[in-house]
Amino acid sequence: MSRQQRQALDEMLRHGPLDLGGDVAQQRALFHDMMTSIPLPPDVSTTEGELGGVPVVTVETPEIGPATVLLYLHGGAYAIGSAADAAGLAAEVSRRTGARAVCVDYRLAPEHPFPAAVDDALAVYGALLDAGVRSSDIAFVGESAGGGLVAAALVAAKDAGLPQPASAAVFSPWADLSVSGDSAVGKAAVDASLTAEGLRIRARDYLRDTDPTTPHASPVFADLTGVAPLFIQVGSYEILLDDAVRLAARAAAHDVHVELQVWPEVPHVFQAFAAMLDEGAAALDAAGAFIRARWNEGGTDADVSGEAVPADATSWTTE
């Protein structure tokens, strides 16, 4: 793994135009330009559609299986980003799992505050189930706010009496909208992408008068008993480091199979930079292996035997 790669990425992010707490319309346009600046590989196809009344973009890569599905939730602090913007990263997960990715274009704040995003995620999940896709053939995947939304959707599905998917994998989850983790301050100097103030602005847009510790908004405060096996990755250079660590600890306390990987000196959602960062590709390989193993086991919480833990990641697992 190259220190030069990490330094180059840090410079690129620090000098980029994106300001998470800035004007929403402007930041949406900037984020879209950033996420789509590199064209999708020619063997990736995207199809716009609708499931459960919610717009979706289905991403397909070669050699996908006929049954398995990734329900993918994009990042953007609940106010920016789109299903189309997430297609590149969703395609990388699709390649590693052999499953098509259904990217959910959930409604954004401030126009559509909480619980609109949770409702839309559940509507798409319910539509997949109604279409005959088995819950044991579905994995939830998300990054940043989408990662927190994945965990919130697992809790909301449980509360709604829906079956859990086979597994869930989240990258750099924003799982505490009160922004109360110690790393919000302790990692501020090394985080090249996010600021605590920017997150608080977007949290107010999404929550309005809702208590930020509401479980369907901030799953670090939720009862996670009975949710799907959970795979969490985060970089050590993130103000959201504590969100990932506390989400994993919460899951472990509630007897959920959880695997946490902390990758040193890499930024927020470093998996999205796999083309220029060796750690990103290795992390995606590990996430894909976790998802495939859960499908092979029919969604049980048995151990993933024979899967190597990446050497440069700090990792722990509960059974």
Side-chain angles (χ1 to χ4, degrees), residues 25-158:
Q26 182 182 42
Q27 298 309 309
R28 286 175 181 169
L30 288 170
F31 188 77
H32 175 74
D33 290 344
M34 181 178 73
M35 296 302 292
T36 58
S37 60
I38 300 177
L40 292 173
D43 63 349
V44 174
S45 68
T46 60
T47 306
E48 295 183 0
E50 185 178 284
L51 279 172
V54 179
V56 298
V57 174
T58 299
V59 179
E60 296 182 306
T61 53
E63 301 180 4
I64 61 171
T68 51
V69 178
L70 305 170
L71 191 156
Y72 195 96
L73 301 173
H74 69 81
Y78 293 103
I80 63 178
S82 69
D85 293 345
L89 185 51
E92 292 303 317
V93 185
S94 172
R95 287 189 193 280
R96 289 163 170 84
T97 57
R100 72 183 189 275
V102 175
C103 300
V104 181
D105 223 356
Y106 58 84
R107 291 167 292 170
L108 298 178
E111 299 93 333
H112 304 284
F114 175 85
V118 180
D119 290 346
D120 288 353
L122 276 195
V124 173
Y125 183 47
L128 288 171
L129 297 175
D130 290 344
V133 182
R134 300 184 306 171
S135 62
S136 58
D137 288 331
I138 299 173
F140 287 8
V141 184
E143 27 94 5
S144 193
L149 182 56
V150 160
L154 293 177
V155 177
K158 179 183 69 169

Side-chain angles (χ1 to χ4, degrees), residues 292-317:
R292 292 196 314 273
R294 305 267 78 76
W295 280 329
N296 292 339
E297 296 161 2
T300 69
D301 62 354
D303 184 29
V304 183
S305 59
E307 295 296 348
V309 174
D312 284 359
T314 302
S315 180
W316 59 259
T317 304

